[in-house]
Amino acid sequence: MAVTDLQKQSSFLRNTREKLIQIALLLAATVSILTTIGIVFSLLFETIAFFSEVSIIEFLTETEWTPLFSIKKYGIWPLLSATLLTSAIALLVAVPLGLVAAIFLSEFASDNVRRTTKPLLEILAGIPTVVYGYFALTTVTPFLKNFIPTLSIFNSLSAGIVMGVMLIPYVASLSEDSLSAVPNSLREAAYGLGSTRFEVATRVVAPAAISGIVASIVLAFSRAVGETMIVAIAAGQNPRFTFDPTVPVMTMTSYIVQVSLGDTPYGSLSYYTLYAVGFTLFLFTFILNIFSYWMVRKFREVYD
């Protein structure tokens, strides 16, 4: 009887512990969901107030953005083009270098080199972005002016290049994890057919890990779109609709910083532009995340 009672007591404690763990996990998931919903609604109501006074057609088609000037224009395209331009430059830097680093770490580096190099590479992700911003402004821009004399002090080129350096760990680390997850049987089969190490890495392993690689690129793009301090410091505060990387521009996050400084009267139409731009930025990153999820589901390889 004593043994049976101990077994019942042990079973009760084990079940209670498991239920508590399930409740804790449920609460953590619920907090995340409620936080997201709260962010959406906090942006939505103020955005509705903005569009009650400004036509959404003007917002989506106008090519001037001057809500803080005497002649007010509310076209989002100057901010959107600057965001896309700096993000595109960042991806042109981060994706090739990140993928090369990932393939090297996964397929060519020894265990000792991998254990040493990967943490060193990920240090780049831990550097404060304000440091990157001043590095772009005080070092990269003067260096680029030696080759591009017409380059402005504030420009999207240096901001995008430095942002790309910051994003290398995102692409490299996630891509390397995806490449390492490919079964060795695929590599051995390719070697058995006479493939070289480079051919195995680029024609067998990389295509097999394409879903993870695409997810890392989309994540890096989302990170670039939402970056604030680098573009606010190095790209300038001049809202203009252009794809010229040598002139000052203003991204969506830079404008949010400008309005958040506190000089704009609360409740004014200029103040509501903060939420309209923020909601546009949220939709943009949300669409990128949906695309990433779709790509992973579509191209994910399942191995036995």
Side-chain angles (χ1 to χ4, degrees), residues 134-149:
Y134 281 108
F135 174 71
L137 180 64
T138 61
T139 303
V140 177
T141 295
F143 174 76
L144 292 177
K145 283 182 71 69
N146 295 325
F147 307 96
I148 310 174

Side-chain angles (χ1 to χ4, degrees), residues 143-160:
F143 174 76
L144 292 177
K145 283 182 71 69
N146 295 325
F147 307 96
I148 310 174
T150 58
L151 187 69
S152 300
I153 296 177
F154 300 101
N155 60 86
S156 58
L157 180 60
S158 60

Side-chain angles (χ1 to χ4, degrees), residues 42-125:
S42 65
L43 292 173
L44 183 61
F45 292 128
E46 307 294 348
T47 303
I48 292 174
F50 171 78
F51 284 116
S52 65
E53 300 187 44
V54 176
S55 169
I56 191 172
I57 296 177
E58 177 186 355
F59 184 76
L60 295 177
T61 59
E62 184 67 48
T63 58
E64 292 185 57
W65 180 263
T66 57
L68 304 180
F69 297 176
S70 57
I71 301 177
K72 302 183 182 300
K73 300 288 184 178
Y74 299 98
I76 193 63
W77 279 105
L79 305 184
L80 186 58
S81 64
T83 301
L84 293 176
L85 178 60
T86 54
S87 300
I89 295 172
L91 288 184
L92 289 176
V93 175
V95 172
L97 295 179
L99 290 181
V100 169
I103 292 174
F104 169 75
L105 291 174
S106 174
E107 304 302 316
F108 295 93
S110 63
D111 290 339
N112 290 332
V113 173
R114 186 183 302 109
R115 284 195 296 266
T116 303
T117 305
K118 191 172 181 181
L120 291 176
L121 184 63
E122 291 174 348
I123 289 177
L124 292 174

Side-chain angles (χ1 to χ4, degrees), residues 213-290:
I213 293 174
V214 171
S216 70
I217 295 173
V218 175
L219 176 62
F221 190 32
S222 299
R223 181 69 178 82
V225 168
E227 173 53 37
T228 303
M229 293 309 301
I230 294 177
V231 292
I233 294 173
Q237 302 284 329
N238 191 346
R240 64 173 76 186
F241 180 51
T242 180
F243 289 100
D244 182 359
T246 64
V247 298
V249 292
M250 175 184 281
T251 65
M252 289 189 284
T253 52
S254 296
Y255 178 76
I256 291 173
V257 169
Q258 185 183 41
V259 176
S260 300
L261 293 177
D263 296 332
T264 305
Y266 175 81
S268 64
L269 184 58
S270 298
Y271 173 80
Y272 287 137
T273 59
L274 169 67
Y275 294 91
V277 174
F279 191 76
T280 303
L281 185 62
F282 174 82
L283 285 180
F284 199 80
T285 55
F286 180 76
I287 292 172
L288 286 175
N289 289 333
I290 293 296

